[in-house]
Structures are given as C-alpha cells and as structure tokens.
Amino acid sequence: MNLEKIKKNALNLLYINLIISVLIFMIDVGDKTIQRYLLYFLISAMYTFCIGLGNSYLNDYLDSKFSWTEQTKERTIAAVIGTLLLNIILVYACNYINFVLIQGKSHEKFFNGDLNFINWFFINFSLLIAAIGHARGFMLAMKKNAKQEIVEQKLIAKSANAQFESLKNQLDPHFLFNSLNVLDSLIEENPSLAQRFTNSMSKIYRYVLEQKDKEMVTVEEEINFAKTYCELLQTRFEDAVTFEFTISEEDKKGFVVPLSLQLLLENAIKHNFATSSKPLNIKIFVENGNLIIENNLQQRELPHKSTGVGLANIVSRYNLLTDRNVFIEKSEAFFRVKLPILKEKIKAMNTFSPSQEQSAYEKAAKRVEELKGFYGNLISYCVFIPFLFFINWRTNPSYWWAFWPMLGWGIGVASHAFKTFGIGRDWEERQIKKYMEKEDENDKKWK
C-alpha cells in the first residue's frame, strides 16, 4: 500500500470515527463532558482504525496475490478465510482492551454472557463492512477489466481495419500495371487485337473496382470473372495457354477473397513461358474444401526479381478473415495454390469493433448484476441475522430460535455464492459439453 493511499484511508476513517463517536456520545445517558467524549473518540478510533486498516491491508495483499477477474474463485476463498480470521482476532482484541482493560469487566465474563453476545455482534458487523469492501474491490476490478478489454478490442479492430484497407488498395496499381504490360506487348504485335483488349480490360477493371472493397465474394462470382479474364489472356496467347475449370454448383456457393484468382492467373503467366509446342496448362478445381489453382511449371528467368505482392496480398487477406491457411505447393512438375473456401460470409473489419465492444459491455453488465444480487443478499443476511438474535435475546433468551433462520438463510447465501462465482456453473457447463459431445458421436455413428 503506497503512502498516498494510506493517507486517504486514514482520512476517511477519521471522518467515520468522528461520526460514530458523536452518535455514541449523543445516545449515552451519562454526563456530557469533554473528557467523556474524548474517551468515546479514542475507543471508537481503536475499533475504526484497527478493523478498517486491517481489512484494507488484507484486501491489498490479496489483490497482489490473486486477480479478481482471472482468479475469481481463489480470490473469493482467500477473502472468506482471511476476512473471518482477521476480523475475529481484531474484534476480540479491541473488545478485550475496551471492556476488560478500560471498563474493568472481569476476564471470566468476557467469553460468556452479554459480553460474548457483544463479541459475536461486533464480529458480524465487521464482517459486513469487510464484505462491502471486497464487493467494491471486485466491481472496480471488473469495471477496469471491461474498459481495458473494450479499448484493446478497439485498437485491434482499428489496426486490422487499417491493414485490410492497405492490402485492398494494393489491387488497383497491381492489376493496372500488369494489364498495361500486356497491352504494351499487343500494340506492336497486333493493333486491332490491342483495341479489343482495351475494351475488354475496361469491363474487367469495372469488376475490379466493384469488388475490391468487399471482404469476400462467392466462388461463383470469382469464377465467372476469372473466365472472362482467361478469355482476355487467351486472346493474346491463343493456344499457348489453356484453362480448365472444374467447379460444382455446390462449391460455387462458398466464399473466397475477391480478385484472388485474377492475381494467381497473372502470376502463372508472369513466371512461366508458354508456347504452342509447350503450352501452359492452368487448372482451377475444388478439393477438400479448397479452391485450387494449378499450373505446370515452365519457369522462366525474369529481368527483375519478383516482389511477390500478389501472393502475399492473398495470404495476408485470408489471415485477417480466417484461421484457415493458404497453402502453396511447388514441385519440379507443377505449382499449386490452395485457397480455403469459407462456408459463410465474414464481415471482418466493418463490424468487428462494435460487436466486440457490445459483447464486452453485455458480459460486464451481466456479471455486475449477478454480483449486486449476491452482495445484496449477503449484506441483508449480515444485518438482519444479528438483529434477530438481538430480538431473541431481549424476548426469550432461554430458547435461541434465531439459529434456525440463520441456518436456513445461510444455506441460501452459500448456494448463491456457488452460483455467482462459477463453482456450480462450471459443473453445469461440463455436463452440457459432455452431453453435446456424446450426441455428436452418436450422429457420426449413424452417418
């Protein structure tokens, strides 16, 4: 505990002590003198500072050993045991000083009769104050953790969104650069073909502009675009390049990142030579949930080292959208890229931050409501049970009926604690998970 916190706690306890000592002094039927008030002030200060600072030190010590958010069960168990032991010791010590040493009560009467009830009442009252302190610490920790989680998720979302936008912005210059290279080659070889290529390129570029801002597109959309692009390439290379598409209607319903096929087709043309006698054969098919682009390897030397922008772009975009990896296989005979086909459309960057923030907020709000209910129950128990014992003691001390509501309500509080701090919930979740796994196994057997 730092010095600033000690000063703050001491000042708060001083204010509490002033209020308590004034109330006791006003209620007391004895003489209203300065000396008598100072005595009440000192006795009240002994209780207030011993119990208040003791519980404050215990709370800080437990906070340094256990995290409320990550070790809730351990922190709760340690708090219950530590608070019980500490407050019993402190209350008995303060009461002994007050009643035996200051007021001159006999040592034998201290552990029985009225003084024993006073000891029990003071212990319950101090436990109530300690429980409120632990509850406050827990709620502050949960609030801090929820805020931190929201901030972290916002930063992750902003970073990922910026990265995704940067990757998508690479598509425009990359496509334009490669297309202009092809056009440049055609202008000298075949001007009329270059004109048709220009018209076709404008249609394809329109698709590029429409799709580049999307996180995902259907396989069908991508295949249709790829076929148009292949027709454009075949216009230039004629029979030097062949294309084979084998995609079922069911596979076309899946999703891939946009313009991935176009980038891979460009790479195949760029890195391999193609002639009529040795054509470049490009196959596009689906296998084991992956869209595969494969070509026979006829590698040629490039004047400049490849930057790898196209393939790296695809890998990076998939990394931002899914845990499934893009696989690249290369042998002496072929080069193959496997793109994962996703079964559902993922709105990765545009909805990430609000949903995470809302989820964190709802989780924290639900947890706080559970805690408020439990600590409300605990505080009511600590307040009303001593009150019932007081009534029992004043009305019928020969029969202690107050033990029955204490026992019944105590069981209810314990059950509430198990549920609130997850002791019971873990068992329920394990049973539900076990049952679901069993059902899945049965389903697999029938299939």
Side-chain angles (χ1 to χ4, degrees), residues 114 389-401 403:
D114 294 347
F389 270 93
F390 178 77
I391 294 174
N392 190 175
W393 173 62
R394 297 295 295 176
T395 58
N396 188 13
S398 61
Y399 175 64
W400 289 97
W401 51 263
F403 278 105

Side-chain angles (χ1 to χ4, degrees), residues 14 28 44 53 82 86 88-89 105 124 143 150 152 169 171 195 218 246 258 294 313 335 338 340 388 392 394 398 437:
L14 179 61
D28 185 31
S44 175
L53 288 179
L86 178 67
I88 289 172
I89 293 170
K105 303 285 184 180
N124 278 274
K143 185 178 180 181
I150 290 170
E152 288 176 355
N169 289 335
L171 298 177
Q195 186 177 2
T218 63
T246 310
E294 177 184 303
N313 181 289
F335 182 83
K338 297 181 178 180
L388 290 177
N392 190 175
R394 297 295 295 176
S398 61
E437 288 175 351

